[in-house]
Amino acid sequence: MKIEKNKSLKKFNTFGIDVRACKYVELYDEEDLKKILSADEFKNDSKLILGGGSNILFTKDYEGLVIKNSIPGIKIIFEDDKSALVKAGAGVVWNDLVLFAIEKNLGGIENLISIPGTVGAAPVQNIGAYGEELMNKFHSLKGIYFETGKDAIFEREECRFDYRNSIFKKELKGQFVITYVILQLIKNPRPVFNYGTIKNELDKQNKENYSIKDVSEIIAGIRKEKLPDPAVTGNAGSFFKNPEIDKSLFLELKKEYPEIPGFTTPCDKIKIPAGWLIEKCGWKGKRIGNAGVHDKQALVLVTYGNTNGSDILSLACEIKISVIKTFGIELTEEVNIY
Ligand SMILES: Cc1cc2nc3c(=O)[nH]c(=O)nc-3n(C[C@H](O)[C@H](O)[C@H](O)COP(=O)(O)OP(=O)(O)OC[C@H]3O[C@@H](n4cnc5c(N)ncnc54)[C@H](O)[C@@H]3O)c2cc1C
């Protein structure tokens, strides 16, 4: 275990913000994690678990201990005729797990291809894309409480998954580290392609049947077109969540903006694409200093060159103000701000 001091986090967050961690350690197993959590040396330090840094905006140096979770390993731990339980270490790159599943023809997470970050962070915000969410194939997870160093297992219900949310992003934020995740994936899978333009793209291939690999490749291609590559342009994907509003407000807005898109949620609210609201307020492609709004997807805030996290935060603030003034809708951040 190597404790580094005053470590730059520029390479460890996809916005590429150059802040420093007072202390930094990279860990590869639960035992070392427990040693760190119980060590007197770090008892009074605030602690931040870092995965791939793709859902984080740093606005200042981190005055505590950053623990980069790199616990490895993917394996099938149980299978029957219908499904397989796949266990992965929290430090596994999420996309590697997706590719593992596709290669074994185990279905359920192929639509979540190309989402950056680690397996351990995936339950934190119940990652989702193209009509799928992690919670749909989630079995359980293991982790450790910071305070007591005790292990705990969480089954699906206990995680309180919601749209880009879970108990780990709310009540247990900064108190619990996820070490392993188990997913229940489907044998002889049927791909899900009734979302967005996936079906149109598949039709161009003129095949009778589509595999999960076909669908994943289409989605990976669409994502590459639409989203900026963090290796080239700093970003953390969607900066805001899609707001859910009452039907009455939606109907009011529809009078003034007949083209406003909205989708009914299971709780009978209407979900509005935040990107549409932001674009309508004229922000798409705008740049203030070294912070900007992506020109192909207004939900993504980007950095140009050396940007402070606070520049991004100020831009986000201005966007929120104009959306509330125009539509009476309050946007909330999907990205974790530190
Ligand atoms: C280009 C781009 C596209 C994206 N597209 C999507 C998308 O389609 N759908 C989607 O849902 N997200 C998307 N994201 C957001 C991001 O990829 C996911 O939220 C991802 O799960 C974050 O993983 P990470 O390892 O980078 O987490 P980090 O950014 O390192 O951490 C995020 C939060 O989780 C906590 N955390 C991390 N690991 C653990 C752990 N092991 N235990 C406890 N807490 C932990 C951190 O403390 C932090 O609060 C996108 C991001 C980018 C840059």
Side-chain angles (χ1 to χ4, degrees), residues 12 14 47-56 69 90-91 94 112-130 146 164 168-169 173-174 176-179 223 227-230 235-238 300 334 336 338:
F12 303 107
T14 57
K47 296 174 187 74
L48 168 65
I49 304 296
L50 190 61
S54 64
N55 201 20
I56 278 186
N69 187 333
W94 169 259
L112 305 181
I113 193 160
S114 302
I115 298 183
T118 54
V119 166
V124 174
Q125 77 151 5
N126 178 27
I127 56 169
Y130 291 87
F146 285 5
R164 298 302 161 270
F168 311 104
K169 202 171 175 179
K173 186 164 183 160
F176 186 78
V177 48
I178 296 165
T179 52
R223 290 183 65 100
L227 293 168
D229 176 359
N235 77 93
S238 306
V300 177
E334 179 177 311
N336 299 276
Y338 289 94

Side-chain angles (χ1 to χ4, degrees), residues 173-187:
K173 186 164 183 160
Q175 295 179 47
F176 186 78
V177 48
I178 296 165
T179 52
Y180 288 95
V181 175
I182 299 178
L183 302 180
Q184 183 161 25
L185 303 179
I186 309 301
K187 289 190 172 174

Side-chain angles (χ1 to χ4, degrees), residues 33-160:
L33 202 46
K34 283 184 181 171
K35 275 185 207 150
I36 288 283
L37 292 176
S38 64
D40 281 345
E41 189 187 346
F42 306 115
K43 221 172 190 103
N44 298 322
D45 286 323
S46 56
K47 296 174 187 74
L48 168 65
I49 304 296
L50 190 61
S54 64
N55 201 20
I56 278 186
L57 176 65
F58 286 113
T59 58
K60 52 182 182 301
D61 290 341
Y62 191 74
E63 298 298 340
L65 172 67
V66 170
I67 302 174
K68 171 116 174 81
N69 187 333
S70 295
I71 296 175
I74 305 179
K75 69 176 175 200
I76 296 175
I77 54 168
F78 174 81
E79 56 188 315
D80 58 21
D81 293 348
K82 291 191 177 140
S83 67
L85 294 183
V86 180
K87 180 176 179 181
V92 169
V93 170
W94 169 259
N95 204 47
D96 289 350
L97 178 59
V98 175
L99 297 177
F100 173 92
I102 294 170
E103 206 249 317
K104 301 259 182 273
N105 200 30
L106 292 171
I109 53 172
E110 61 280 357
N111 288 27
L112 305 181
I113 193 160
S114 302
I115 298 183
T118 54
V119 166
V124 174
Q125 77 151 5
N126 178 27
I127 56 169
Y130 291 87
E132 261 307 340
E133 280 183 309
L134 177 90
M135 61 183 269
N136 297 332
K137 295 295 171 288
F138 179 88
H139 178 274
S140 57
L141 62 77
K142 191 175 173 214
I144 303 169
Y145 284 99
F146 285 5
E147 190 66 27
T148 59
K150 289 222 164 91
D151 290 337
I153 289 176
F154 280 72
E155 297 194 349
R156 189 184 1 212
E157 290 306 309
E158 294 165 299
C159 296
R160 297 205 220 132

